[in-house]
Amino acid sequence: MPSPTQNTLRGPPPLFARERQGTGCHAVRLATALLLVVGLLLPGGCACPAWRCGGLHNGTSFWDAKADLSVFAYGNVLEVDGAGISGSAVQANDGKVYVGGQDGYIRVFHKAAATSSSEDFWRSETTAWAELYKSPEFGSCPIYNTPTVLYGVSSDPSVYMVVFACGDRVIAIDGSKTVPTKLWTIDLCSYFVGSAELCDWYAGISSPVSSTTGDIIYLCVGPDNKGVCFALRSSDGSLHDSWSQNPFPSSGSSNSNLMFTSSPALLPTGRLVVGANLGSTGTLLFINALTGLQDFSQGTFTLPEGVTFTASPAAFSDGSLVICSSDGQLHKFSSTNAWLWSKASLCGTSTTLQASPAISPSGDIIVSASDPPYVRRLASDGTEVWSFCANPAYTSGACSGGAISSSPVYTPSGQVIAGGTGGTVFSLAWSSGIEAWRYAVDSASSLTSTPLVASDGSLLVGSSAGGLHVVGDRRLYDDTVPRLSMEVEVIGVSSRQLMDGRLAALKTSIASQTEGLLRSSNIHVARVLASRRR
């Protein structure tokens, strides 16, 4: 059996179980008084410690995006050596952000001091996002999934670990240190029964999730055949011996050829739920999180031949859930695993990866489709409230375009942050679906990363073409290159034209007239004198 390279972790206290559920900042605020009394208030308040901000995968953010983005959706690009980022970023309570890259590096970002200027109009902050740490832990293995942050792993409530997975390896780092350090590395194939050369377990798109007490990491590997789910001890990565089958399913079972693109969600009922594919047929698995036994109390939900699960489940607070299948249907299940309904033409139809639903605190559902690329708000019974064509080229008439793979996010003030086609992120009003702003991440790439709304109100979203985009972040200016400050009077243009890059084109034009003395990235608008929005 493998052993950790380091092990300084202790058994998890149950105190922080509810905070990591991802059910919203309100749950933490209710516990704040108690935490203050016992002196255990977590630094930073609320974070987004896992994909979709918690084990429920409901996409509810703890934070709102910056209000000034509705005036102009500005941003910065962290180049990360040109590496593509397909997975999503997560944030710990101390403010650090973690993400994996297609180059096999794990990266950590934080807010660093930036050159300040009293002339900056919408970039008045004195800090900006910057890379703190990177390590080529996975070699050439491209990281496509999202890491998870675990609290409760030490008697010190500020201590946490971050778990990454790629290929047949799982790595845990201590992120609470000034410079993150590796705790342990596990080779999953060391748990393979039989010749190691026959092991083809591969941690691909499916992301890990932790137990509410932080002592167990659940991970499903595959998209290739013979996929399995693990329950690993967070202390050292060893197999959790409470599972009767670990990994699940056993190699001799009828489900031994499962494939996993879906990420498992942890329900408040104590079950794991994950969409699995047996050959070309999808099946929904409910697994007892304590025993590892499959729950057949409501039978087995199986999709028609040729229809698979390429999205992940999103759970309501009562344990009911919704999930999309590759034929465009949205399926809903009760807290007892019973099928309730299926509705057509609401989801995407990708056979590789599609957007997963989000759920608001009121119980409404947000889904993203493909061909046409609509973002929809649905009532809890699946009735449409509004729809929005998430194609940046759309002006009027019939909506058209490709697939949406980036999953939507709901914010506390009632914003829907959703990826669209053409590498664009949209902010939509919850009540009406009207666009507030948009930001072009990369028109040449497909957007698979789900936006992270960080604690400072900026949005961090990866581009598969390269770089981590930070919407609402100012640049770390290079003072060795002169900057041009200018006052611009904007008359007779709409806010959408501003967001579509007309102002950026103006800055580029000015840069071209400076005979190379200035870089366009270092030109900033000091002040907008007037703006007539229509």
Side-chain angles (χ1 to χ4, degrees):
M1 293 299 223
S3 60
T5 56
Q6 299 181 50
N7 182 9
T8 59
L9 304 181
R10 301 177 57 182
L15 179 62
F16 307 106
R18 297 304 301 172
E19 191 275 330
R20 286 187 309 279
Q21 286 282 359
T23 54
C25 247
H26 63 279
V28 179
R29 292 191 184 108
L30 291 175
T32 296
L34 173 62
L35 293 171
L36 285 171
V37 169
V38 299
L40 294 176
L41 182 61
L42 290 176
C46 300
C48 185
W51 186 65
R52 314 299 307 284
C53 288
L56 297 179
H57 293 340
N58 57 20
T60 297
S61 171
F62 296 130
W63 305 100
D64 281 309
K66 292 180 177 179
D68 63 353
L69 290 172
S70 62
V71 177
F72 178 66
Y74 59 94
N76 187 13
V77 184
L78 305 174
E79 296 297 344
V80 296
D81 303 320
I85 296 178
S86 297
S88 304
V90 297
Q91 186 177 33
N93 282 336
D94 61 3
K96 295 192 190 82
V97 166
Y98 299 82
V99 70
Q102 293 178 11
D103 57 356
Y105 277 76
I106 61 177
R107 287 179 168 86
V108 185
F109 298 90
H110 70 149
K111 297 297 287 288
T115 303
S116 62
S117 171
S118 60
E119 296 178 340
D120 284 338
F121 178 62
W122 49 66
R123 303 184 183 189
S124 59
E125 297 179 1
T126 59
T127 59
W129 287 95
E131 187 175 87
L132 171 67
Y133 169 85
K134 68 176 182 179
S135 177
E137 294 294 347
F138 292 103
S140 60
C141 179
I143 304 172
Y144 293 115
N145 56 31
T146 300
T148 190
V149 179
L150 288 79
Y151 280 92
V153 295
S154 168
S155 58
D156 182 348
S158 67
V159 173
Y160 64 90
M161 65 187 296
V162 188
V163 174
F164 292 80
C166 190
D168 58 4
R169 298 174 66 205
V170 181
I171 293 175
I173 64 174
D174 184 347
S176 53
K177 296 184 180 299
T178 303
V179 177
T181 58
K182 186 162 64 176
L183 292 167
W184 49 258
T185 301
I186 290 297
D187 184 345
L188 295 175
C189 282
S190 63
Y191 299 135
F192 185 78
V193 178
S195 174
E197 291 77 15
L198 300 178
C199 176
D200 56 2
W201 290 337
Y202 188 91
I205 298 174
S206 184
S207 299
V209 66
S210 76
S211 64
T212 55
T213 49
D215 58 335
I216 305 176
I217 303 159
Y218 301 103
L219 173 67
C220 295
V221 300
D224 296 329
N225 283 330
K226 300 181 182 177
V228 293
C229 295
F230 290 90
L232 305 175
R233 290 188 179 92
S234 62
S235 58
D236 58 10
S238 61
L239 294 176
H240 200 277
D241 54 15
S242 67
W243 271 33
S244 59
Q245 296 179 23
N246 196 0
F248 167 88
S250 63
S251 58
S253 74
S254 59
N255 289 336
S256 59
N257 290 321
L258 289 175
M259 298 178 288
F260 293 98
T261 300
S262 175
S263 298
L266 182 60
L267 306 179
T269 56
R271 301 181 186 93
L272 287 172
V273 58
V274 61
N277 302 316
L278 185 57
S280 60
T281 302
T283 183
L284 195 61
L285 301 181
F286 292 91
I287 306 170
N288 188 304
L290 294 178
T291 66
L293 294 174
Q294 190 172 354
D295 186 347
F296 293 104
S297 59
Q298 298 290 343
T300 301
F301 181 81
T302 302
L303 297 171
E305 175 70 24
V307 181
T308 56
F309 286 117
T310 53
S312 300
F316 296 80
S317 57
D318 65 353
S320 56
L321 64 99
V322 288
I323 187 172
C324 291
S325 55
S326 64
D327 58 354
Q329 290 199 81
L330 178 68
H331 312 273
K332 187 173 183 179
F333 296 82
S334 72
S335 58
T336 61
N337 308 353
W339 173 82
L340 296 176
W341 49 256
S342 299
K343 299 198 174 186
S345 304
L346 293 178
C347 298
T349 55
S350 172
T351 57
T352 54
L353 176 66
Q354 61 174 306
S356 299
I359 298 172
S360 75
S362 64
D364 282 14
I365 307 163
I366 308 142
V367 290
S368 298
S370 59
D371 299 320
Y374 278 113
V375 175
R376 292 182 173 92
R377 174 187 168 187
L378 311 174
S380 58
D381 62 358
T383 304
E384 182 177 303
V385 178
W386 52 253
S387 62
F388 173 82
C389 182
N391 182 347
Y394 173 80
T395 55
S396 63
C399 179
S400 63
I404 299 177
S405 299
S406 176
S407 300
V409 173
Y410 175 86
T411 73
S413 67
Q415 288 176 291
V416 175
I417 309 295
T421 62
T424 302
V425 174
F426 295 89
S427 173
L428 311 175
W430 171 250
S431 59
S432 63
I434 294 175
E435 178 184 343
W437 53 263
R438 66 175 65 181
Y439 179 85
V441 174
D442 195 326
S443 60
S445 69
S446 59
L447 188 64
T448 60
S449 177
T450 293
L452 163 69
V453 185
S455 54
D456 69 339
S458 57
L459 273 72
L460 290 87
V461 58
S463 167
S464 58
L468 182 66
H469 290 249
V470 189
V471 189
D473 186 42
R474 60 170 290 164
R475 291 184 182 275
L476 286 171
Y477 289 117
D478 180 0
D479 281 344
T480 63
V481 179
R483 285 190 292 155
L484 174 64
S485 294
M486 59 185 175
E487 293 184 347
V488 177
E489 184 174 5
V490 181
I491 299 177
V493 300
S494 67
S495 59
R496 171 167 289 191
Q497 286 175 315
L498 289 175
M499 290 184 283
D500 283 349
R502 303 294 176 86
L503 193 55
L506 172 63
K507 292 189 290 182
T508 302
S509 175
I510 293 174
S512 67
Q513 299 175 29
T514 60
E515 299 180 357
L517 295 178
L518 299 173
R519 291 203 305 252
S520 61
S521 62
N522 283 337
I523 298 175
H524 69 292
V525 173
R527 186 158 52 99
V528 174
L529 297 180
S531 177
R532 298 176 184 173
R533 300 174 58 183
R534 60 173 184 260

